[in-house]
Amino acid sequence: MLLKKTQLEAHNDALLTRHQRNFEFISGNIPDAEAIIKKLTDFQVGIPSWALGNGGTRFGRFAGRGEPTTLEQKMEDVGLLHQLNRSSGAISLHIPWDIPKDAAALKQLAVQLGLKFDAMNSNTFQDQPGQAHSYKYGSLQHVDKAVRKQSIDHNIEVIQYGKELGSEALTIWLADGSCFPGQLNFRKAFNNTLESLSAIYEALPENWKVFVEYKAFEPNFYSTTVGDWGQSFLFASKLGDKAYTLVDLGHHLPNANIEQIVALLLNEKKLGGFHFNDSKYGDDDLTVGSIKPYQLFLIFRELVDGMDARNMNHATDLGWMIDASHNVKDPLEDLLQSVEAIQIAYAQALLVDPVKLGTAQEQNDVALAQEILQEAYRTDVRPILAEARLRAGAALDPIGLFRQLKVREELVKERGERTVATGL
């Protein structure tokens, strides 16, 4: 399902007077509002194909209604999101959940929907039907060389699919680790993983990147072979210039200082991108900004500062993607909320005066430094985001229009009541 231009125009016309009043007020108090609008318009957040259905927990999955059952339908859902906010112009595929059967047709569909193919994602954390060797005891780290080769071959296969679609990156997340003391030789596991990653790295096209994702725990709860940013950084450094660390906001131990991690990785030129979500206890994969919005702002403050220090392009030099699990929400509404939360944090970070903050830091003026940050964080930038959407041809109120047009009900009519998307 796609929206008609007249539907967007009618929606915006009904809200225009109130929006203009809000925008005039806030833009009159924000220096360089036009520059921020331009940056917001350029900034795109990738949508993962596996987030378009209701996610599951270890105890069960409650499928939603009208979920997409084909890759084409998933792309259409992302195209719909992009129509609503003009900030979701990329889709990230997970293999083998979304094996492209006709790359040429998918590329043509992507053009029609205004999408590009973001990083490809491999899966060696699940056994698939007909698989020769099990990943029960790991994949790239496995003590059996045949299992390691199988997982290497899978990643190279994913690269080939990505080449056909025009992607330029591979993300590798490993469930490899151990559940009990003594189960694993840590040094051998690290070296086996490095050897396997090196074989995958050698298969990368010249213009590609590989992102090494880390996670502190789950499904292994004693050790994880790529358990934190330091281990990921070590792998990426040993692999070469095309290898980077990927930060998932939920993949840390409680109270980790993620903004400091981001700053150091940027400093070392090894930050590749993000999987955005939020968490209360662990890797909850909740809606971005729903639990720790101030932390999200502080992360973006470090991103803006670090990227500007290196003259990096905010929109294109890092990979931006959501990785969430909508157990009880409509996935499309949740994704719209997540994209807006990301853009709010980004816009607030752009409000921070780096000269004033730098002076406060050099003078050890702790109170002033806090005031500078919190003044930016407490600024309601939503009218700025809405103006960026309006100028791009999107909806002033994306979720409002989604509900007004009864989009979910229309998708149910098209696809059926009890459809289940592939993925977790």
Side-chain angles (χ1 to χ4, degrees), residues 164-206:
E164 293 175 4
L165 294 172
S167 173
E168 295 182 350
L170 170 70
T171 297
I172 300 176
W173 174 72
L174 301 174
D176 293 18
S178 62
C179 291
F180 298 99
Q183 176 185 336
L184 195 66
N185 183 299
F186 297 138
R187 290 180 294 102
K188 288 182 179 179
F190 179 91
N191 292 331
N192 284 344
T193 302
L194 177 60
E195 182 182 280
S196 300
L197 286 171
S198 297
I200 297 166
Y201 187 87
E202 289 302 314
L204 285 176
E206 188 60 34

Side-chain angles (χ1 to χ4, degrees), residues 42-241:
D42 292 341
F43 195 88
Q44 299 292 311
V45 181
I47 305 296
S49 61
W50 62 92
L52 297 162
N54 281 89
T57 69
R58 287 188 296 277
F59 301 100
R61 176 179 177 182
F62 302 94
R65 302 159 59 241
E67 291 189 5
T69 57
T70 67
L71 177 51
E72 289 79 5
Q73 288 180 348
K74 292 180 179 183
M75 291 176 63
E76 289 168 3
D77 279 6
V78 178
L80 174 62
L81 291 173
H82 193 44
Q83 278 191 297
L84 288 165
N85 63 21
R86 286 298 167 194
S87 299
S88 307
I91 182 170
S92 183
L93 304 190
H94 213 299
I95 308 298
W97 297 339
D98 298 298
I99 293 178
K101 297 176 181 176
D102 187 338
L106 291 175
K107 289 173 72 175
Q108 184 176 2
L109 178 60
V111 171
Q112 294 171 0
L113 298 172
L115 304 178
K116 70 173 187 176
F117 290 96
D118 212 328
M120 303 293 290
N121 300 265
S122 59
N123 182 337
T124 60
F125 54 85
Q126 291 176 321
D127 286 351
Q128 306 299 328
Q131 184 175 306
H133 305 285
S134 174
Y135 296 133
K136 180 177 181 179
Y137 297 109
S139 59
L140 296 183
Q141 74 166 26
H142 205 284
V143 294
D144 187 340
K145 191 170 185 177
V147 181
R148 299 203 299 273
K149 183 178 186 307
Q150 176 181 271
S151 56
I152 292 167
D153 290 345
H154 167 70
N155 277 276
I156 293 174
E157 177 188 14
V158 173
I159 293 171
Q160 295 305 316
Y161 287 132
K163 286 172 61 178
E164 293 175 4
L165 294 172
S167 173
E168 295 182 350
L170 170 70
T171 297
I172 300 176
W173 174 72
L174 301 174
D176 293 18
S178 62
C179 291
F180 298 99
Q183 176 185 336
L184 195 66
N185 183 299
F186 297 138
R187 290 180 294 102
K188 288 182 179 179
F190 179 91
N191 292 331
N192 284 344
T193 302
L194 177 60
E195 182 182 280
S196 300
L197 286 171
S198 297
I200 297 166
Y201 187 87
E202 289 302 314
L204 285 176
E206 188 60 34
N207 63 326
W208 273 53
K209 299 177 181 178
V210 60
F211 301 139
V212 182
E213 189 172 356
Y214 59 89
K215 186 176 182 180
F217 61 91
E218 193 186 40
N220 286 288
F221 285 93
Y222 180 68
S223 74
T224 306
T225 299
V226 193
D228 59 26
W229 72 276
Q231 294 170 45
S232 172
F233 173 76
L234 192 55
F235 281 120
S237 298
K238 288 178 177 291
L239 288 171
D241 293 339

